Amino acid sequence: MADSNTDAVPEQPTGPSKSELKKRAKAAEKERKAAEKAAKQAEIAQQQAANEVDYSTEFYGVLPLHQSQSRPRRERSQISTLSSRDGETILIRARVQTSRAKSSKLLFLNLRQRTHSVQAVLMVDPERISKQMVKWASGLADESIVLVEGLVKKSPTPIQGATVSDVEIDVNQIHLISGIDGRLPFSLDDASRPEAEIESSENQFNRVLIDTRLNNRVVDLRTQTNQAVFKIQAAVGDLFRDYLSKHGFIEIHSPKLQGAATESGASVFKVSYFKGNAYLAQSPQLAKQMAIAADFERVYEIGPVFRAEDSNTYRHMTEFIGLDLEMVVEEHYHEVMETLDGLFLSIFRGLRDNYQHEIETVRRQFPAEEFKWREGPEGTLRLTHREAVQMLIDDGVEIGITDDMNTENEKRLGRLVKAKYDTDYFIIDKFPMEIRPFYTMPDPEDPSVSNSYDFFMRGEEILSGAQRIHDPGLLIEKMRSKGVDPDSMKSYVDAFRMGCAPHGGGGIGLERVIMLFLKLNNIRRASLFPRDPKRLDP
């Protein structure tokens, strides 16, 4: 008899449903079409690439790191000379100031060298300039340094924004020498814009403040304005040296570390010096006089001057460049004053005659009336201190006839002198003895007055000078009257015990001369890396 409890047969798995099969078929079709599309696009891209072969690969790109690998001695041109080189192929190294891509086939670059700029053009040209080359060049960051070869071509119309506006460069090759690592702190266009344009324009321009400039001074110094300022500063040094060398002066170099505070202990920097202290020189004054005592006759120096004055004004710095001179007096201290006057006139004429391009470059950003001085037979205007103060009193200023003039009164006097005599440059002579340093020679007729003078530009002092005391007895007397211990400056006093010729001189602040000649409104603009009570870096 059969067993009624046999095992049940398990169910077999069924196949995909119709809906699942349709879904799979649809996905496969979609993948097929996508693959066909991708293949077609790849074929099109391949055809386009074949049609757009980059035939300019040798004419652009990043150069290897410059390690002086070779020296082919190819002539490099200056942008300033290109106006006279129409039709020539030239090679220049320059910065990219700005770039404008008009299309994928046309690019304009503004290339800059110091105070000069020129427009360069890259336009697609079969077998010469490829679209890839134009695209690469359009990606160059502003301030990149490039090496450009191209053909100089006359422009039918002046090119706006380029100082060399009558030609442009048709670029054949462009290579990157040095790129930008990071982001510029500001654009050079913003840093070069006149304040009046910022104030009056309806456009929202970025104003680059002076602290921002000084914190990023290397970039700021690249502006055409600053390039011109420091070319003019260098010229003043050259003109100073040239005039004095032709007049029998020799250049000296005095130490800046001194064993005693030379003029006013409150305004000197004290530094540690082995087991003792030393002081940074406030001027080369004492060294100049000692050189005269050593029979050098006529000396000058260009060097740093240190003043520990906590003055945070537009006209003061704690370190600046002094232009100093000292010379023997034969008959009268006015010989020194006249030598200094001739020196300044030579500097003013030299700048006017040889640096107009630089002066005009600065004026585009800092508009100013042309600096004026008297060139006629009447000569430079000279006033006594008493006459100068009387002009202020007559104008309503409350000031004593022997009082020292503060900055505000100096400026006011400058305006009065300009209105009456039409000059920005003048001399004030015969200052009261009480407001001059201990080494100043008193007037022989009136001991309350000194044989001293100051020179002024646009109503601000740029030189202080005098006949010096060369007699040791009188020198010691005046030192004590000013609170200076003669024993603290024994070597200086001893120099006059051995016999010293009558002499005088003066000290000029280089940066202040530049600031006032160009009317820059802040002395820091005339200093490469300014130092003031709040700034030691960069």
Side-chain angles (χ1 to χ4, degrees):
M1 185 172 173
D3 186 355
S4 61
N5 294 322
T6 56
D7 293 337
V9 179
E11 291 185 7
Q12 297 297 320
T14 59
S17 66
K18 289 184 178 181
S19 62
E20 179 65 23
L21 289 172
K22 286 182 179 180
K23 191 174 181 180
R24 291 180 183 181
K26 189 175 182 180
E29 179 65 16
K30 188 175 181 181
E31 288 178 7
R32 185 184 64 77
K33 287 183 177 180
E36 287 180 355
K37 185 177 180 181
K40 190 171 183 179
Q41 287 176 338
E43 184 181 356
I44 293 171
Q46 190 174 6
Q47 289 175 350
Q48 287 178 339
N51 293 334
E52 294 184 11
V53 173
D54 189 357
Y55 41 79
S56 304
T57 53
E58 296 181 6
F59 303 149
Y60 72 96
V62 180
L63 291 176
L65 177 66
H66 192 306
Q67 295 179 285
S68 301
Q69 293 94 328
S70 63
R71 193 177 184 185
R73 298 184 183 276
R74 289 193 64 188
E75 179 189 354
R76 308 295 175 96
S77 299
Q78 295 297 307
I79 287 175
S80 59
T81 68
L82 298 187
S83 291
S84 61
R85 303 189 64 177
D86 180 33
E88 295 184 33
T89 296
I90 54 91
L91 182 69
I92 64 168
R93 173 189 46 78
R95 284 195 184 270
V96 176
Q97 175 140 326
T98 57
S99 63
R100 290 182 297 117
K102 302 294 285 185
S103 69
S104 62
K105 297 183 178 182
L106 179 61
L107 173 68
F108 294 98
L109 298 174
N110 190 320
L111 302 180
R112 187 187 76 247
Q113 288 176 342
R114 303 178 74 178
T115 60
H116 298 277
S117 60
V118 68
Q119 179 171 278
V121 183
L122 281 91
M123 184 165 58
V124 171
D125 185 16
E127 305 305 321
R128 193 171 69 89
I129 307 294
S130 66
K131 289 179 72 173
Q132 293 94 327
M133 181 174 176
V134 174
K135 181 180 180 181
W136 178 86
S138 66
L140 290 168
D142 291 353
E143 293 305 292
S144 297
I145 301 174
V146 293
L147 187 65
V148 174
E149 180 189 282
L151 181 67
V152 179
K153 291 184 175 181
K154 280 289 182 184
S155 174
T157 57
I159 298 168
Q160 298 296 317
T163 62
V164 179
S165 59
D166 57 345
V167 296
E168 62 184 12
I169 301 173
D170 184 8
V171 176
N172 296 327
Q173 297 189 32
I174 180 168
H175 291 89
L176 179 67
I177 296 174
S178 180
I180 304 301
D181 183 7
R183 182 181 177 185
L184 291 171
F186 46 78
S187 78
L188 265 68
D189 280 352
D190 286 337
S192 304
R193 192 169 286 112
E195 188 68 22
E197 184 180 337
I198 297 173
E199 295 286 350
S200 62
S201 177
E202 295 179 358
N203 296 321
Q204 193 72 27
F205 290 127
N206 291 320
R207 178 183 274 107
V208 185
L209 301 178
I210 193 161
D211 275 348
T212 303
R213 293 175 181 276
L214 298 181
N215 290 339
N216 302 277
R217 190 60 162 159
V218 170
V219 176
D220 184 47
L221 287 171
R222 294 177 188 172
T223 67
Q224 291 173 312
T225 299
N226 279 325
Q227 292 287 317
V229 166
F230 289 98
K231 190 169 182 180
I232 290 169
Q233 186 185 89
V236 170
D238 289 343
L239 293 164
F240 179 83
R241 280 192 172 96
D242 185 60
Y243 182 87
L244 294 179
S245 295
K246 288 178 179 176
H247 286 78
F249 287 75
I250 63 170
E251 185 171 8
I252 61 171
H253 305 282
S254 64
K256 303 311 168 194
L257 285 171
Q258 298 184 331
T262 54
E263 296 180 35
S264 170
S267 61
V268 296
F269 286 108
K270 181 190 289 188
V271 298
S272 62
Y273 193 73
F274 299 102
K275 294 183 179 181
N277 294 315
Y279 302 86
L280 295 181
Q282 293 168 293
S283 77
Q285 179 59 49
L286 308 187
K288 290 188 304 175
Q289 289 188 257
M290 292 165 76
I292 297 299
D295 292 344
F296 279 46
E297 297 281 323
R298 294 183 164 206
V299 298
Y300 72 88
E301 178 170 357
I302 299 178
V305 174
F306 302 92
R307 299 286 169 89
E309 298 170 352
D310 193 9
S311 298
N312 295 283
T313 74
Y314 73 93
R315 55 180 273 175
H316 288 98
M317 294 192 296
T318 53
E319 180 182 353
F320 61 90
I321 300 301
L323 309 178
D324 284 83
L325 67 82
E326 205 77 17
M327 60 182 276
V328 166
V329 172
E330 300 293 353
E331 296 179 341
H332 198 283
Y333 79 95
H334 280 179
E335 297 163 19
V336 187
M337 194 169 74
E338 288 159 5
T339 297
L340 286 163
D341 183 35
L343 167 65
F344 272 108
L345 294 176
S346 175
I347 290 172
F348 298 154
R349 291 167 186 149
L351 294 179
R352 177 196 62 193
D353 296 344
N354 301 303
Y355 294 89
Q356 273 305 308
H357 168 73
E358 287 74 19
I359 292 170
E360 289 167 6
T361 297
V362 175
R363 280 185 186 154
R364 285 199 295 268
Q365 185 167 3
F366 296 99
E369 291 182 6
E370 186 174 359
F371 184 80
K372 285 189 174 183
W373 63 93
R374 299 207 305 196
E375 296 228 64
E378 72 278 10
T380 298
L381 175 66
R382 298 182 191 179
L383 302 170
T384 65
H385 182 269
R386 180 176 290 270
E387 290 170 338
V389 171
Q390 191 61 54
M391 287 182 70
L392 290 171
I393 292 171
D394 293 343
D395 197 50
V397 177
E398 293 184 5
I399 183 174
I401 200 71
T402 61
D403 288 352
D404 198 6
M405 288 179 282
N406 58 26
T407 301
E408 182 182 346
N409 285 336
E410 285 182 357
K411 288 184 173 183
R412 188 165 186 165
L413 178 64
R415 292 192 293 270
L416 294 173
V417 166
K418 183 68 178 290
K420 185 173 182 178
Y421 299 102
D422 194 30
T423 182
D424 291 307
Y425 167 66
F426 59 95
I427 302 169
I428 296 180
D429 192 15
K430 294 294 181 187
F431 279 79
M433 192 70 190
E434 65 185 52
I435 62 174
R436 304 303 275 198
F438 67 81
Y439 46 72
T440 306
M441 182 67 78
D443 180 270
E445 305 295 331
D446 182 357
S448 68
V449 176
S450 64
N451 291 350
S452 64
Y453 41 78
D454 282 358
F455 286 46
F456 289 79
M457 292 173 62
R458 299 191 196 268
E460 297 195 44
E461 176 220 318
I462 42 89
L463 174 144
S464 184
Q467 180 181 357
R468 324 298 188 182
I469 296 174
H470 61 283
D471 176 78
L474 180 58
L475 180 62
I476 290 170
E477 176 190 330
K478 294 299 180 183
M479 290 174 81
R480 287 179 174 149
S481 72
K482 295 282 187 179
V484 179
D485 181 5
D487 290 337
S488 70
M489 302 175 66
K490 187 175 183 299
S491 60
Y492 170 67
V493 176
D494 286 349
F496 301 105
R497 296 187 191 280
M498 300 297 105
C500 181
H503 60 280
I508 304 164
L510 173 60
E511 291 90 347
R512 195 172 286 189
V513 169
I514 301 301
M515 175 186 73
L516 294 169
F517 186 84
L518 298 172
K519 208 169 182 181
L520 298 178
N521 305 320
N522 193 313
I523 198 166
R524 291 157 187 79
R525 294 191 176 103
S527 175
L528 196 68
F529 298 103
R531 295 289 178 260
D532 61 33
K534 297 180 179 179
R535 181 171 294 279
L536 276 172
D537 186 68

